[in-house]
């Protein structure tokens, strides 16, 4: 007893350790996926990080091979130098005039060369030009910049006001431009592999260990088959299409009981089944019908009727002829239970027919005018109908209960089967039957198989799910070990 308890504790402890390991690896894979998604979204979202989290820009720009663009960097540095010069010598000094001429030249060069095009940010330059034209009120972007960076304009409109406009509306847009290094392969430099490499090594070692464990537990598997047991983990090792790592991450979170994907799996299964059920239904049913039609065309029906003695022996598992037993059970049910219940209806039908026959006799129509004859006729009809029904019922009961009668009935059925089979062997009968069966099956394909494919597959799947749910509910059923007793008489 102590050993059993200790063994249970060891198994429970082992499962707990495995669960903690699964959770650790699932969380690690989730972190790696988060880094992958951040890396993929960094360039599109770089402007947001520049405005809200400039520290991220300083850290991650080198990893993506991003550095300030030389032209736009010089432009902003020149504007900073202008601000410093104005604060030292004033707006009307010759040094400030020289700085303004330099910025005008840089503005024209920025518009002509478009340094934003290299990183697909030409829209930013258009936004800069639009804001400057709107501010100056001139349709030409170059003339607007030339007017803005002139001493008369800045003096007339106020230096502080105009430089604040530039720093708030123009500078942030120019600052978003950057230069991205291009590697020898012709692609942009991306050193994310440096961050990703430790994760790939960890997942690779884990996959190797899991493959060894699976190979040890299932000796019949090859190394490749054991590796495919965890096929989804391969996405964690690929240096491309890293976004596919979402698949193993979801699987691991579900296995670690950190995320319940059962509803999602149900919907996926339902979608897959719904996509294939319609075609499978048509293919299976049509194939079965085609096989039956092929058998008819090949003459297998004729061969079966003419070569019954060469057929494979029939295997009987309980020494009972089920067809005869079912037929006997049906006969007893009809004789002992059905006929007694419908006897009044049969008597009424016979009585009506007897009265009809009486009315058709001319002598009886004349006698009916005598007093009491009509009532006597009704009683006579009822007695005759009752007597006939009773005699027929007794005859049927006697035939069922009499061994000799049962034997004769069996012989009659046997002779009937032999006669029918003999007539069926006639060539013209078989040919007609084969033709009719073939056409009948063709009509089934045309009229009913299409209906099967047009049924609401989702509704069928839902009904199947409800049946499974009902089947999973434990129920107590009293089983009878004998057939229901036939009520006799």
């Amino acid at each position: 007893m102590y050993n059993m308890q200790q063994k249970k504790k060891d198994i429970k402890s082992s499962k707990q350790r495995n669960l903690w390991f699964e959770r650790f690896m699932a969380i690690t894979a989730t972190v790696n996926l988060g880094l992958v998604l951040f890396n993929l979204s960094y360039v599109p979202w770089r402007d947001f990080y520049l405005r809200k989290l400039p520290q991220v820009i300083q850290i991650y720009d080198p990893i993506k091979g991003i550095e300030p663009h030389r032209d736009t960097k010089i432009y902003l540095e020149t504007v900073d130098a202008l601000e410093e010069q104005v604060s030292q010598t004033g707006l009307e000094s010759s040094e400030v005039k020289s700085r303004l001429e330099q910025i005008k030249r840089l503005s024209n060069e920025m518009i002509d060369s478009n340094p934003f095009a290299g990183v697909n940010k030409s829209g930013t330059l258009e936004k800069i030009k639009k804001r400057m034209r709107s501010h100056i009120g001139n349709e030409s972007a170059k003339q607007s910049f030339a007017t803005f960076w002139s001493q008369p304009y800045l003096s007339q409109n106020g230096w502080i006001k105009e430089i604040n406009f530039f720093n708030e509306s123009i500078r942030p847009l120019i600052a978003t431009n950057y230069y991205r290094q291009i590697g020898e392969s012709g692609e942009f430099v991306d050193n994310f592999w440096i961050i990703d490499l430790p994760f790939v090594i960890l997942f690779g070692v884990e996959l190797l260990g899991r493959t060894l464990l699976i190979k040890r537990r299932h000796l019949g598997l090859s190394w490749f088959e054991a590796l495919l047991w965890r096929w989804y983990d391969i996405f964690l090792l690929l240096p491309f299409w890293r976004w596919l790592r979402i698949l193993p991450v979801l699987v691991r979170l579900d296995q670690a009981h950190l995320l319940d994907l059962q509803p999602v799996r149900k919907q996926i299964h339902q979608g897959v089944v719904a996509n294939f059920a319609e075609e499978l239904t048509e293919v299976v049913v049509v194939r079965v019908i085609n096989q039956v039609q092929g058998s008819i065309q090949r003459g297998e029906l004729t061969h079966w009727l003419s070569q019954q003695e060469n057929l494979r022996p029939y295997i009987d598992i309980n020494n009972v002829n089920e067809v005869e037993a079912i037929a006997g059970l049906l006969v007893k049910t009809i004789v002992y239970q059905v006929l007694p219940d419908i006897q009044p209806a049969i008597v009424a039908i016979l009585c009506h027919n007897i009265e009809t026959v009486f009315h058709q006799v001319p002598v009886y129509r004349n006698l009916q005018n005598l007093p009491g004859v009509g009532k006597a006729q009704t009683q006579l009809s009822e007695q005759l109908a009752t007597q006939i029904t009773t005699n027929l019922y007794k005859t049927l009961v006697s035939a069922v209960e009499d061994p000799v009668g049962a034997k004769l009935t069996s012989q009659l059925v046997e002779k009937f089967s032999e006669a029918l089979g003999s007539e069926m062997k006639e060539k013209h009968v078989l040919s007609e039957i084969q033709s009719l069966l073939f056409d009948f099956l063709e009509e089934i394909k045309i009229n009913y198989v299409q209906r099967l494919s047009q049924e609401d597959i989702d509704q069928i799947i839902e009904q199947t799910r409800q049946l499974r749910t009902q089947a999973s509910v434990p129920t107590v059923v009293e089983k009878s070990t004998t057939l229901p007793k036939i009520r006799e008489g």
Side-chain angles (χ1 to χ4, degrees):
M1 179 64 69
Y2 175 77
N3 292 335
M4 290 293 293
Q5 293 178 350
Q6 184 63 33
K7 186 176 181 180
K8 290 181 179 179
K9 290 182 179 179
D10 293 342
I11 294 175
K12 184 177 180 180
S13 178
S14 177
K15 289 183 177 180
Q16 192 69 19
R17 288 196 300 270
N18 290 338
L19 180 59
W20 280 112
F21 175 76
E22 293 289 348
R23 288 182 174 178
F24 171 76
M25 294 305 299
I27 293 174
T28 303
T30 303
V31 172
N32 177 250
L33 177 63
L35 292 174
V36 168
L37 296 179
F38 173 79
N39 179 70
L40 292 175
S41 65
Y42 178 76
V43 173
W45 286 19
R46 184 179 179 275
D47 293 352
F48 171 79
Y49 297 133
L50 179 64
R51 295 192 305 269
K52 304 297 182 180
L53 299 170
Q55 299 84 357
V56 175
I57 299 294
Q58 298 174 5
I59 297 174
Y60 212 76
D61 269 2
I63 295 174
K64 303 295 286 186
I66 293 177
E67 58 188 36
H69 195 282
R70 180 178 58 185
D71 294 344
T72 52
K73 180 182 178 181
I74 292 175
Y75 190 98
L76 295 179
E77 290 177 347
T78 304
V79 174
D80 292 337
L82 172 64
E83 291 187 68
E84 181 67 22
Q85 190 67 49
V86 170
S87 65
Q88 293 180 359
T89 61
L91 183 60
E92 301 299 331
S93 63
S94 58
E95 293 84 359
V96 169
K97 183 178 181 180
S98 176
R99 293 288 184 184
L100 289 173
E101 292 297 328
Q102 184 181 3
I103 296 176
K104 289 180 184 179
R105 178 177 56 82
L106 293 176
S107 298
N108 290 334
E109 292 178 357
M110 181 176 66
I111 294 173
D112 292 335
S113 62
N114 188 9
F116 298 84
V119 289
N120 297 321
K121 294 179 70 67
S122 296
T124 302
L125 178 60
E126 293 301 319
K127 190 180 295 185
I128 292 171
K129 292 159 60 177
K130 181 179 179 181
R131 289 185 179 181
M132 186 59 72
R133 289 197 301 265
S134 176
H135 183 71
I136 299 299
N138 194 311
E139 295 183 358
S140 171
K142 290 184 178 181
Q143 293 179 3
S144 297
F145 272 100
T147 301
F148 183 84
W149 296 117
S150 63
Q151 285 180 325
Y153 178 82
L154 294 174
S155 299
Q156 181 180 356
N157 291 277
W159 162 254
I160 301 298
K161 174 185 174 183
E162 295 303 318
I163 199 63
N164 286 340
F165 162 77
F166 177 84
N167 290 332
E168 293 175 1
S169 300
I170 306 299
R171 178 187 286 272
L173 295 177
I174 297 177
T176 61
N177 191 37
Y178 57 87
Y179 171 77
R180 192 170 180 186
Q181 301 174 12
I182 299 177
E184 296 179 356
S185 62
E187 301 292 335
F188 289 124
V189 171
D190 190 350
N191 294 321
F192 178 73
W193 65 269
I194 299 175
I195 299 175
D196 194 43
L197 183 61
F199 291 97
V200 172
I201 294 175
L202 175 62
F203 296 139
V205 172
E206 182 207 13
L207 181 58
L208 178 61
R210 289 183 184 273
T211 303
L212 290 172
L213 184 60
I214 293 171
K215 174 65 176 173
R216 183 179 301 176
R217 290 179 177 176
H218 306 276
L219 299 178
L221 295 178
S222 64
W223 285 104
F224 181 71
E225 292 172 338
L227 178 64
L228 290 181
W229 198 289
R230 301 276 300 188
W231 60 271
Y232 47 84
D233 283 341
I234 297 177
F235 293 122
L236 295 171
L237 310 180
L238 298 179
F240 49 86
W241 297 342
R242 293 188 178 100
W243 57 270
L244 289 175
R245 296 183 186 183
I246 190 172
L247 177 61
V249 168
L250 290 176
V251 174
R252 286 170 174 266
L253 290 174
D254 183 57
Q255 292 175 345
H257 300 164
L258 296 175
L259 185 65
D260 184 13
L261 295 180
Q262 184 65 23
V264 178
R265 284 201 299 268
K266 284 185 178 180
Q267 292 300 324
I268 293 176
H269 293 167
Q270 180 172 344
V272 172
V273 172
N275 288 334
F276 289 102
E278 180 177 335
E279 296 183 6
L280 286 176
T281 301
E282 290 188 8
V283 170
V284 171
V285 176
V286 171
R287 186 172 182 181
V288 171
I289 295 177
N290 288 339
Q291 288 177 348
V292 176
Q293 289 179 319
S295 299
I296 295 174
Q297 287 182 327
R298 291 191 297 269
E300 295 182 4
L301 178 62
T302 305
H303 180 74
W304 178 79
L305 291 173
S306 61
Q307 302 291 336
Q308 291 186 11
E309 62 276 7
N310 296 327
L311 293 177
R312 184 177 62 184
Y314 183 78
I315 299 175
D316 194 350
I317 63 175
N318 56 2
N319 295 323
V320 175
N321 190 325
E322 287 79 6
V323 176
E324 292 182 1
I326 293 173
L329 184 60
L330 289 175
V331 170
K332 290 182 179 181
T333 302
I334 293 173
V335 171
Y336 292 126
Q337 297 181 9
V338 177
L339 288 180
D341 292 337
I342 66 174
Q343 185 174 356
I346 296 175
V347 171
I349 293 174
L350 288 176
C351 184
H352 172 71
N353 288 308
I354 292 172
E355 289 181 354
T356 302
V357 172
F358 279 150
H359 283 292
Q360 292 176 354
V361 178
V363 177
Y364 175 78
R365 286 201 300 268
N366 296 327
L367 292 176
Q368 196 174 13
N369 296 325
L370 298 177
V373 174
K375 183 177 181 181
Q377 179 268 325
T378 302
Q379 293 177 353
L380 179 59
S381 299
E382 292 179 354
Q383 290 177 0
L384 285 174
T386 304
Q387 190 66 33
I388 293 172
T389 304
T390 303
N391 291 336
L392 286 175
Y393 181 71
K394 288 181 178 180
T395 302
L396 290 174
V397 172
S398 299
V400 172
E401 296 179 348
D402 183 13
V404 178
K407 183 177 180 180
L408 293 174
T409 303
S410 177
Q411 291 176 356
L412 175 62
V413 173
E414 184 177 353
K415 291 295 183 181
F416 176 78
S417 300
E418 291 178 358
L420 180 62
S422 177
E423 292 298 326
M424 290 282 290
K425 293 178 184 178
E426 296 294 333
K427 178 174 283 188
H428 70 281
V429 177
L430 279 175
S431 177
E432 186 68 20
I433 291 176
Q434 288 176 352
S435 177
L436 290 173
L437 282 176
F438 187 88
D439 294 340
F440 176 68
L441 292 172
E442 193 66 26
E443 291 176 358
I444 289 178
K445 285 195 296 186
I446 296 173
N447 293 285
Y448 296 104
V449 175
Q450 185 177 4
R451 295 182 187 177
L452 289 175
S453 64
Q454 289 176 348
E455 289 189 13
D456 190 348
I457 298 299
D458 292 334
Q459 184 177 0
I460 295 175
I461 294 173
E462 183 61 29
Q463 292 174 356
T464 305
R465 183 182 301 172
Q466 292 177 0
L467 290 176
R468 291 179 179 175
T469 304
Q470 294 173 0
S472 63
V473 177
T475 57
V476 178
V477 179
E478 295 183 359
K479 295 184 178 180
S480 176
T481 57
T482 61
L483 291 173
K485 190 173 182 179
I486 302 299
R487 176 170 57 86
E488 300 183 4

